[in-house]
Amino acid sequence: MAQSTLKYPVLFTFWGIPVTLGRQAWQFVVSKLVFGAILAVLFHLGKGLGELIVITLGYTLIIHSFPILHTVGHVISSKRVQPPMTELRVIPLAIQTRYSADPDQLAPTVHLNRALGGPIMNLVLGALGLIWWASSGSHYAVLFTVGNLFFAFGALLPIPHIDGEVIWREVRRARAARR
């Protein structure tokens, strides 16, 4: 059996990619539980404690789905380009996608494909959420829809360490290469 070169313990593998737990990864779960509880209390204040707990758990699951499904989008897009993703690391507020290749040695389209996978996944899920919301009127559908759209558009912003930084950098790089 080959020796692992990963720095953190492997929780499981997803589609051949090891999922590791970074330091304080437990905060990933706790932060979403707290946010779910805050939303439940804000929007369902008159409900009984038992019902608030159920709503909190539902909201927490939905809130967890945003970064997890966003990451699935990155995994799918990474499988389409070479070199593929080498690790998914759970950290306190996000799931990092890790790659072994030197980013400066890769074509802009590789980074663009990888980085667009997450936001595209959230846009598709937001559109599906709109259908769910329109057909059911469920408050869970509202959170699922708004959260996925917020996550998608937020990921497209040119902020360091998120997809938008990579996307806009690689668009500029590709345009410069065409000149």
Side-chain angles (χ1 to χ4, degrees):
M1 180 181 250
Q3 184 76 349
S4 173
T5 59
L6 298 173
K7 183 177 175 181
Y8 297 101
V10 176
L11 184 61
F12 60 91
T13 58
F14 174 72
W15 207 358
I17 301 168
V19 178
T20 64
L21 296 175
R23 290 184 194 93
Q24 301 170 333
W26 60 270
Q27 293 175 4
F28 182 80
V29 174
V30 172
S31 63
K32 282 132 190 85
L33 178 62
V34 168
F35 191 55
I38 290 168
L39 289 177
V41 169
L42 283 175
F43 294 109
H44 303 281
L45 191 54
K47 308 275 184 183
L49 181 60
E51 199 170 355
L52 274 177
I53 290 171
V54 170
I55 292 170
T56 295
L57 293 176
Y59 282 2
T60 301
L61 289 173
I62 291 170
I63 292 166
H64 269 93
S65 77
F66 307 146
I68 292 169
L69 294 171
H70 179 92
T71 302
V72 169
H74 284 304
V75 170
I76 292 167
S77 63
S78 175
K79 293 287 185 178
R80 299 181 57 216
V81 295
Q82 291 297 325
M85 190 180 300
T86 55
E87 178 185 359
L88 293 168
R89 184 175 300 159
V90 180
I91 60 174
L93 295 177
I95 303 171
Q96 289 180 329
T97 55
R98 314 283 292 189
Y99 305 90
S100 62
D102 179 7
D104 295 331
Q105 303 299 318
L106 301 174
T109 55
V110 170
H111 295 298
L112 212 45
N113 274 306
R114 289 174 177 172
L116 282 169
I120 288 171
M121 175 67 88
N122 288 116
L123 286 172
V124 168
L125 293 169
L128 292 172
L130 281 171
I131 296 167
W132 177 24
W133 182 7
S135 66
S136 72
S138 167
H139 57 94
Y140 295 113
V142 173
L143 178 60
F144 185 81
T145 302
V146 172
N148 271 297
L149 294 175
F150 178 79
F151 214 86
F153 290 116
L156 292 171
L157 295 173
I159 298 171
H161 306 293
I162 65 170
D163 302 327
E165 175 191 35
V166 174
I167 292 165
W168 298 112
R169 179 190 69 220
E170 296 307 323
V171 165
R172 284 190 305 274
R173 203 171 129 203
R175 291 173 101 186
R178 281 190 220 150
R179 293 179 189 178

